Amino acid sequence: MAGQEDVAFQTVEKLESELQPPYNMFASFGYMSIYLELEDADKTEEALKGVESAIETLKWEIYRPVVFFAQGRIHEFRGEYKEAISDFQKQLELSPTNVSAYRFIGRCYRKLKDYDEAAEYLQRSLKIHPFGPSTNYELALLYSDMGETEKALEHLQATLDVWKNADPEYKPAKLAREKLAELQS
């Protein structure tokens, strides 16, 4: 997230080399996280195989929501929003207070132009985490898409209030600042 891809890979590789089997399987979670952040569907899918193998081998069913999350993101990267929603809903069945799952479902509905469903899921996310900057950003995008500029600006301001001290290269804050400038122009 900090734009240091090389450092991320080096960290996971070091972890993988230092852990004894079967715990070195934890590295697959790290690789998957990196590829998710890079929005690389194919490499995420490949790393996900290692995650699923670790879950099966070590009986770590507590991590099953991670599988559905990754599958949802892979579908989202590929523009397969209905499939992504299905995976995120499976994640919610196992982890009903997962803020990000509600947010990602809302984003997928927004991309499908189903604004009512998008708003419903994004509001559910805010009920759990009222000042969540990522959810407020998604609501800003939703209201912008709907032509409700004032509501969009309100949610962008909530987002940027939380991220006011974010590093300039922090991508989510940068995108929010760019959207604010766009809407104010």
Side-chain angles (χ1 to χ4, degrees):
M1 291 178 78
Q4 298 180 23
E5 183 180 332
D6 292 341
V7 173
F9 279 112
Q10 290 168 4
T11 303
V12 175
E13 289 164 3
K14 185 175 189 305
L15 172 76
E16 187 175 28
S17 70
E18 291 176 357
L19 290 175
Q20 296 297 311
Y23 299 105
N24 60 341
M25 296 176 95
F26 269 115
S28 60
F29 288 84
Y31 290 117
M32 185 184 71
S33 295
I34 294 168
Y35 293 128
L36 281 167
E37 188 60 33
L38 295 173
E39 299 186 3
D40 186 324
D42 294 336
K43 289 185 179 176
T44 300
E45 195 169 51
E46 190 63 34
L48 181 57
K49 292 175 187 173
V51 169
E52 290 180 298
S53 177
I55 290 171
E56 296 298 322
T57 300
L58 299 168
K59 310 294 186 224
W60 289 343
E61 283 303 314
I62 194 164
Y63 292 108
R64 185 65 58 192
V66 172
V67 171
F68 293 123
F69 170 75
Q71 288 172 332
R73 293 291 287 148
I74 290 166
H75 285 298
E76 186 180 3
F77 297 153
R78 293 177 174 156
E80 302 163 349
Y81 302 119
K82 289 180 182 179
E83 293 86 346
I85 289 167
S86 176
D87 287 321
F88 294 134
Q89 286 174 333
K90 289 174 188 170
Q91 179 189 12
L92 279 175
E93 288 172 16
L94 298 175
S95 184
T97 58
N98 188 299
V99 174
S100 64
Y102 286 110
R103 184 176 66 250
F104 286 119
I105 290 170
R107 181 169 63 204
C108 288
Y109 276 122
R110 176 179 62 80
K111 290 179 178 183
L112 289 169
K113 300 192 184 319
D114 186 340
Y115 298 139
D116 290 339
E117 285 293 314
E120 180 183 329
Y121 278 93
L122 293 171
Q123 290 299 335
R124 286 184 192 179
S125 179
L126 276 188
K127 279 186 180 182
I128 298 166
H129 192 220
F131 300 102
S134 297
T135 301
N136 273 294
Y137 176 69
E138 286 300 327
L139 274 164
L141 295 178
L142 172 64
Y143 288 125
S144 176
D145 287 357
M146 294 170 65
E148 296 185 33
T149 305
E150 288 305 313
K151 283 185 178 181
L153 289 169
E154 189 179 305
H155 286 282
L156 275 174
Q157 194 56 57
T159 297
L160 293 170
D161 284 348
V162 174
W163 285 336
K164 66 183 171 220
N165 295 320
D167 292 335
E169 61 275 354
Y170 181 62
K171 185 178 175 182
K174 184 178 176 183
L175 291 172
R177 287 190 295 271
E178 288 170 1
K179 187 65 177 178
L180 180 65
E182 174 192 324
L183 290 176
Q184 288 178 331
S185 65

